[in-house]
């Protein structure tokens, strides 16, 4: 069964460093997302991406964050200068057009980011 | 160090019994309501959705009920199995947001043998 894959599974970084989290969405999906989940808390929307551009972003997704689809398969989240409060599990998700409207997303297993 | 996080509501159910997980949503204009299951160490997994013009929808061993009058959503799991142990999140998707899901706090379901 096709799945969303994320790397790395865990990254530890120093405050102020840049981090890139990588995702390979399901191949025939057109909508891509990043969500994050601080330990034990709610899942929070960061950004959605469609047709090679950001379609929606939350207040969390400030100038320190960026997303890119550098080729036909990868979807990346970059945090330019990490802060302690960026420590969280970051989930990539994708959806196909027929399922996107209903909120049916396919999530990866997440990348845990620890900022020291 | 001690981790600080939101204390999740917990539901303990005997294996084989039915489980009912509840959720209160916030936005009357939401068009779809969705249930996700998150097993320990994994990403959320879609279970079922219901559109706002419906009040009940059934899936395989699951039923979702929507009460718009009191903005309440529930997920019923029949004959609960050990594999149902997870945190269950409700989420909503509205007209005023094309893409983002707004997530509830989650309920931890524990299955007693």
């Amino acid at each position: 069964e096709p799945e969303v894959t994320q790397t790395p599974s865990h990254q530890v970084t120093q405050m102020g460093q840049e981090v890139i989290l990588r995702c390979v969405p399901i191949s025939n999906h057109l909508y891509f997302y990043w969500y994050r989940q601080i330990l034990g808390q709610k899942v929070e929307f960061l950004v959605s991406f469609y047709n090679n551009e950001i379609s929606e972003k939350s207040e969390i997704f400030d100038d320190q964050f960026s997303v890119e689809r550098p080729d036909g398969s990868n979807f990346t989240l970059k945090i330019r200068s990490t802060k302690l409060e960026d420590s969280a599990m970051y989930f990539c998700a994708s959806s196909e057009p027929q399922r996107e409207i209903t909120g049916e997303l396919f999530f990866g297993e997440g990348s845990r980011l620890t900022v020291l | 160090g001690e981790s600080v996080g939101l204390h999740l509501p917990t539901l303990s159910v005997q294996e084989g019994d039915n489980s009912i997980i509840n959720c209160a949503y916030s936005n009357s204009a939401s068009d779809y309501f969705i249930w996700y299951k998150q097993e320990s160490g994994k990403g959320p997994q879609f279970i079922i959705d219901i559109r706002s013009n419906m009040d009940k929808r059934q899936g395989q061993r699951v039923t979702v009920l929507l009460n718009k009058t009191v903005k309440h959503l529930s997920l019923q799991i029949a004959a609960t199995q050990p594999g149902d142990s997870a945190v269950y999140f409700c989420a909503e998707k509205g007209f005023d947001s094309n893409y983002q899901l707004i997530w509830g706090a989650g309920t931890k379901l524990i299955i007693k043998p």
Side-chain angles (χ1 to χ4, degrees), chain A residues 12-58:
Chain A
V12 181
T13 190
Q14 294 291 323
M15 191 168 54
Q17 294 297 303
E18 176 183 284
V19 160
I20 297 176
L21 305 178
R22 293 184 166 81
C23 170
V24 179
I26 295 172
S27 61
N28 64 333
H29 287 187
L30 299 180
Y31 296 83
F32 313 113
Y33 312 82
W34 284 100
Y35 282 81
R36 79 174 186 189
Q37 186 178 33
I38 295 171
L39 183 64
Q41 298 193 19
K42 291 184 185 184
V43 179
E44 300 175 295
F45 171 79
L46 294 178
V47 67
S48 60
F49 193 87
Y50 171 69
N51 201 25
N52 284 319
E53 60 182 20
I54 291 174
S55 46
E56 190 172 3
K57 59 184 181 179
S58 71

Side-chain angles (χ1 to χ4, degrees), chain A residues 2 20 23 42 45-46 48 51 59 72 79 83 85 96 111 114-115:
Chain A
I20 297 176
C23 170
K42 291 184 185 184
F45 171 79
L46 294 178
S48 60
N51 201 25
E59 291 177 356
I79 309 174
K83 302 188 281 284
E85 55 264 37
E96 54 186 333
S111 292
T114 302
V115 182

Side-chain angles (χ1 to χ4, degrees), chain B residues 25-34 50-53 66 68 91-97 100 102:
Chain B
Y25 64 89
S26 55
N27 190 349
S28 302
S30 291
D31 193 25
Y32 282 91
F33 301 89
I34 310 104
I50 187 168
R51 194 164 189 184
S52 58
N53 61 355
L66 177 62
K68 292 182 285 295
E92 53 188 301
K93 187 170 183 286
F95 285 117
D96 59 351
S97 166
Q100 76 172 280
I102 306 298

Side-chain angles (χ1 to χ4, degrees), chain B residues 46-64:
Chain B
F46 173 86
I47 303 173
I48 192 168
D49 64 74
I50 187 168
R51 194 164 189 184
S52 58
N53 61 355
M54 301 170 65
D55 51 26
K56 181 178 180 179
R57 189 170 184 213
Q58 287 187 291
Q60 188 177 11
R61 247 187 351 107
V62 295
T63 301
V64 56

